[in-house]
Amino acid sequence: ALSKTTEKENGRPNILFIVTDDESWDTVGYNNPRLKTPNIDALAKRGMIFRAGHCAATPCVPSRMCMSSGLQFHRWDRSSPNIFEQALKEGSWTWMHALRNAGYRTGLIGKGHYYPIRASHGFDVMQLCDHPPKNKAGLTDPPWRDDYTEFLKEKGVTELEDPKTGQRRPIRGLFDGFQWPHSIDLH
């Protein structure tokens, strides 16, 4: 838990900002009755829905960097000239810094697509499932430690192994669309 104080206790609203990966407006139940997304729908009913939002960049990494910095794609400083290592340069201003400066405790749960994945961008707490690049995968020391990979290792499984065959599943690229092969409690 990021905060033990409630909105009533500190006089400020708690903020939960959820970013799903590469999802369009019609892929949630509250906008498309053919789809069943009960948890997202319940959050939307109790929270705020931005109905006129526009994506600053269509690929997920640049999009997240634009959201974090408030800058358009061509204006934020890159962490590297290498296209596979491009993310918001560490030390750049983010709205998470602004929240922290205003007295909020901030956290990132999931993936931010920063480079390195634990780059300092204003989060007090980070629990990551961010899949570091191949040349950094398996490193357990910051800035590359992936909490989810470590969790799976503790359970004796890997995302890349098919539990039915014990064989490593083929990787056909970043968007191979494989089905999750393990029990739901490991997802």
Side-chain angles (χ1 to χ4, degrees):
L2 295 178
S3 176
K4 294 186 185 217
T5 61
T6 65
E7 184 176 334
K8 288 181 183 178
E9 291 171 335
N10 67 20
R12 296 183 307 196
N14 288 322
I15 300 168
L16 178 63
F17 187 72
I18 297 175
V19 178
T20 58
D21 210 13
D22 299 338
E23 194 163 12
S24 68
W25 66 273
D26 60 348
T27 58
V28 288
Y30 64 83
N31 277 332
N32 186 342
R34 294 180 303 167
L35 299 178
K36 306 296 181 217
T37 57
N39 295 322
I40 295 286
D41 296 349
L43 285 168
K45 188 174 185 176
R46 294 190 326 259
M48 178 180 287
I49 299 170
F50 297 98
R51 296 199 183 275
H54 298 277
C55 189
T58 51
C60 60
V61 173
S63 182
R64 288 170 188 263
M65 300 311 108
C66 293
M67 277 191 294
S68 295
S69 67
L71 298 172
Q72 293 177 335
F73 177 73
H74 63 285
R75 298 212 179 263
W76 48 269
D77 288 332
R78 307 303 194 264
S79 57
S80 168
N82 180 334
I83 192 155
F84 296 106
E85 299 172 0
Q86 283 193 4
L88 191 62
K89 186 175 182 178
E90 191 158 14
S92 297
W93 181 91
T94 65
W95 55 272
M96 286 68 70
H97 285 116
L99 285 173
R100 186 193 278 173
N101 291 342
Y104 278 90
R105 189 155 183 240
T106 60
L108 171 61
I109 314 298
K111 60 182 163 182
H113 286 320
Y114 298 116
Y115 194 92
I117 64 174
R118 291 185 178 276
S120 177
H121 287 302
F123 296 106
D124 295 307
V125 174
M126 295 176 91
Q127 290 290 313
L128 299 179
C129 174
D130 213 337
H131 305 300
K134 284 182 184 180
N135 65 339
K136 306 293 184 187
L139 298 178
T140 57
D141 294 325
W144 298 106
R145 189 183 76 248
D146 183 289
D147 299 299
Y148 184 60
T149 300
E150 294 303 310
F151 164 78
L152 289 177
K153 277 185 197 174
E154 289 173 12
K155 301 294 183 183
V157 299
T158 173
E159 288 181 279
L160 303 177
E161 184 180 290
D162 185 333
K164 293 175 187 157
T165 65
Q167 300 294 313
R168 186 175 172 91
R169 70 173 187 82
I171 299 174
R172 294 178 293 280
L174 190 57
F175 303 106
D176 62 1
F178 77 98
Q179 285 193 328
W180 180 247
H182 306 292
S183 67
I184 195 67
D185 64 322
L186 295 175
H187 194 278

